[in-house]
Amino acid sequence: MNGDGTQDARGTQANPVPRPAGPPPMPAVPPRPDGSAFLTWLRTPRPEAAPGVWRFGHKPRSAQEPEEIPARQLIGGAVIALLVGWLIWSLLWNGYLGGWWLLPLDAMTTSWTDPNSYSRVVFGWAWYVVVALGIVIGMGRLGRWGEVWRRLVAPHLRRRESTPPPPPPEQDPAEWPALRAAGAVDAAERLAAEARTGLMRDVDHARIVRAWQGVRTGRFSLATFTGAVLKDGAAACLHPSGERDLPARLARHDLVTGQVRLGTTADDPRNPYSYRGTGLGLGPDLLGTSLVAVGPAGSGKTGSLARPLTESLCLQALAGRTAVVAVGAAGAGLGPADAFDVVVRIGNPDSVYDLDLYGGTGDPDEAAAILAEALVGDLDEVRRATTVLAQLLGPFRAVHGRFPGVPELRRLLDGDPGPLAELREALREQGQDSLLRELDARERQAGQPGDPGGALTDRIALLDRPAFAGFFDTSGQSRPFSLKALDHPVRVRVDLPERGHADASRMLARLVLAQFTASVTVREDRSLFACLVLDDATGVVTPEAVRGIQRLRSANAGVVLTLRTLDDVPRPLRGPLLGATGCRMALSGLTPWDGQDFAEVWGKEWTEARDVTDRQIIAETPAGKAVHMLRRVITGKAPTARAVTVRQVERERWSASELAHAVPPGHAVLSLTTVKGEHAPPLLVDLRN
């Protein structure tokens, strides 16, 4: 068994999922003396937590912030209580408060006339201890000694345990209790031994757990799974690439929960108390609602967000859980080429893979809709453009058995009589009368007012350039990649030729987004999470793109879009875009008008407002006037009486001004929504920690 059912080709396209040429090299696994580090990682608690909380080793906090006394006041009260207790004991011991506190002792020892008797001495010291304990307990409560210990002393004395206490065998994840319960004891023993000897990694664990889920769902048999584990151990059920890890990791990942740590929630009053100081972790449960991040250049969109998320998704793809497509300009820094199975370098003659212009479909109407969205989606002419393209793609495919390449499509849109005459003659010979009527309709509409053919011709001409001469080939001379392959755990990076071809890059980004939303919504197996990371979505957001994003949640898929400013999105689409995405991030350096859009979508909340009024106190008596004068000389202020009024008011969670001016560098404000509908309010997050 080489996969878990999501890793094998299903014949969804003419060309199968791209694989490395030749057998992939098996990575060397250096032997380790033991697997203590891996076992510690695996056994670390991961309690259920609120959305976005980094669960690895998380210690939940109370939902409400306790009323804490300032440290200086707390220490002062404790010292005063100690001095008062010592004073009381001294007065009692020296008899300054009289001998009444010894009356119980005298009452118990009246029958013992000898003051030096053993019983009298024992009862005497016991009574002293009772009185001393009473003073200590009373003064301890009064001076809050327990809180002093918990807040100021215990944290410095507490030692971190190097390893968590060993769990019972039936609950130890390193012993694979689920496999044992199902009768696969030999497989569980083999995996447990590999974990103890250091031959298992976090990706191996996640991949085998994914394969075991395939057994439970019936995709393949228990015998097949057990045979693969007994044969290969921790290397069982490998990804088609043969890789068991990425070449290098820049972020912290937890493949048990599927989270990647992006930073730390700031200890700020505007954050809920339960989130303050906790790690921020994102996983498929949040990315399944899609994410949009807005911030100027240098604010951390790529390095602090897109790159870690892409790295996490690639790791999960190696575990058979995820399919990922990362799109950005060449050199954008979304990860090294070795971290991907397919790297499409559009405009680079050294690129091994090409991009399928039609998304791997054989349906002319579907191909026309995808291509029209890519070419003129930003011009609000998609419906008419789809009709024009369908009128040409259908006849061409019927004659040639394939769709036209870029030069051929350009000549057809130009109305070149030569190619159109050849099509017409071939259709007559085949008796394709219905397709002949499509060509007749196209010829009648060409050049008429409102005909989108001219716009389509101008846009397709952007791809008919010498730099793209070897790309978008449909004759079978290249290795085109199609997003139909996203029902497999494939890792794809698409480099756009932004330098010198900005308009073409935006058009290609729209093409990838349109193909992604069209492909993932018709997958047979939706247990595999699919994600598109689009670094710099300028010019990509269209009405159809927003509608496509809204459909992704039910298809177990999501997109990550980064923007320099919301001005790169048409004004009528800014609200729908923020409403269609469940996770929204505003990075530092945001403009006030961008902040206004975020402030509106985050809404308002009820909060407690305090109005403080200072009223000067007027003394009536000479003594009072003298005291007031003395206070004014000492403090420099007139004596006042403070009145506090508390009321409930409704205010914005984050105002446009706060988003523009109160977010420190390296920080962001992020709101989250899970695929189950759980929400996290806007959180101030430090992306550098």
Side-chain angles (χ1 to χ4, degrees), residues 24 73 118 195 310 317 330 345 421 483 507 538 619-620 668-669 671:
Q73 181 180 347
Y118 178 77
T310 301
R345 298 182 174 96
L483 270 71
M507 195 163 57
T538 301
E620 301 293 341
V669 180
S671 65

Side-chain angles (χ1 to χ4, degrees), residues 262-264 304 664-667 685-689:
L262 297 183
T264 303
S304 300
H667 289 63
V685 179
D686 186 356
L687 299 176
R688 303 168 300 182
N689 186 7

Side-chain angles (χ1 to χ4, degrees), residues 66 93 159 220 225 308 337 340 348 366 398 410 440 492 529 549 597 608-609:
W93 184 264
R159 296 179 181 177
F220 44 80
F225 171 83
F340 297 90
N348 188 335
E366 182 181 353
R410 183 181 181 183
D440 294 338
V492 183
F529 179 69
I549 292 173
D597 291 316
E608 191 176 83

Side-chain angles (χ1 to χ4, degrees), residues 180-195:
R180 297 178 187 273
V185 179
D186 293 340
E189 291 289 349
R190 175 68 186 276
L191 295 175
E194 301 250 321

Side-chain angles (χ1 to χ4, degrees), residues 301-303 306-307 327-335 493-496 498 535-536:
K301 298 188 300 298
T302 301
R307 173 66 185 270
V327 181
L334 293 177
R493 194 185 79 188
V494 180
D495 293 346
L496 301 177
E498 186 169 332
D535 191 42
D536 190 5

Side-chain angles (χ1 to χ4, degrees), residues 414-427:
D414 276 338
D416 191 332
L420 289 175
E422 293 176 4
L423 271 183
R424 186 179 298 277
E425 182 63 26
L427 291 173

Side-chain angles (χ1 to χ4, degrees), residues 56-334:
F56 181 80
H58 172 63
K59 296 181 179 179
R61 305 177 67 180
S62 60
Q64 298 295 329
E65 180 178 6
E67 294 185 2
E68 285 195 353
I69 301 173
R72 180 180 299 179
Q73 181 180 347
L74 189 64
I75 295 174
V79 171
I80 292 174
L82 177 63
L83 295 176
V84 171
W86 181 260
L87 176 62
I88 294 175
W89 175 258
S90 299
L91 294 175
L92 290 174
W93 184 264
N94 292 297
Y96 290 109
L97 298 180
W100 60 269
W101 69 291
L102 296 176
L103 291 178
L105 179 62
D106 293 337
M108 288 186 294
T109 59
T110 52
S111 61
W112 301 320
T113 58
D114 185 5
N116 296 322
S117 67
Y118 178 77
S119 299
R120 183 180 179 90
V121 172
V122 170
F123 277 104
W125 282 107
W127 177 247
Y128 294 154
V129 171
V130 171
V131 174
L133 285 177
I135 294 175
V136 169
I137 293 174
M139 292 300 103
R141 291 183 176 179
L142 185 63
R144 298 184 177 91
W145 292 353
E147 188 172 352
V148 171
W149 175 268
R150 288 191 300 270
R151 287 177 51 186
L152 305 178
V153 181
H156 298 285
L157 300 179
R158 187 183 301 118
R159 296 179 181 177
R160 293 185 177 179
E161 298 181 355
S162 57
T163 57
E170 63 274 6
Q171 299 178 1
D172 187 358
E175 297 296 329
W176 299 86
L179 273 65
R180 297 178 187 273
V185 179
D186 293 340
E189 291 289 349
R190 175 68 186 276
L191 295 175
E194 301 250 321
R196 287 191 295 268
T197 56
L199 298 178
M200 182 174 288
R201 309 169 182 176
D202 56 351
V203 177
D204 298 330
H205 178 271
R207 186 184 63 251
I208 294 173
V209 169
R210 168 71 177 177
W212 175 248
Q213 292 174 352
V215 174
R216 297 180 61 183
T217 56
R219 284 199 293 267
F220 44 80
S221 66
L222 177 62
T224 304
F225 171 83
T226 303
V229 171
L230 293 178
K231 176 185 177 183
D232 300 321
C237 315
L238 274 181
H239 185 266
S241 66
E243 299 291 339
R244 296 172 61 184
D245 205 345
L246 296 181
R249 301 188 188 185
L250 298 181
R252 290 185 60 189
H253 305 273
D254 182 23
L255 293 181
V256 173
T257 60
Q259 290 183 312
V260 55
R261 182 176 176 129
L262 297 183
T264 303
T265 307
D267 189 4
D268 188 274
R270 287 169 290 197
N271 287 336
Y273 180 73
S274 59
Y275 276 95
R276 295 179 196 172
T278 63
L280 175 72
L282 298 187
D285 60 327
L286 293 168
L287 298 181
T289 63
S290 298
L291 184 150
V292 60
V294 182
S299 59
K301 298 188 300 298
T302 301
S304 300
L305 180 67
R307 173 66 185 270
L309 289 178
T310 301
E311 187 176 271
S312 174
L313 294 167
C314 286
L315 285 171
Q316 295 186 59
L318 291 178
R321 297 176 175 176
T322 299
V324 55
V325 180
V327 181
L334 293 177

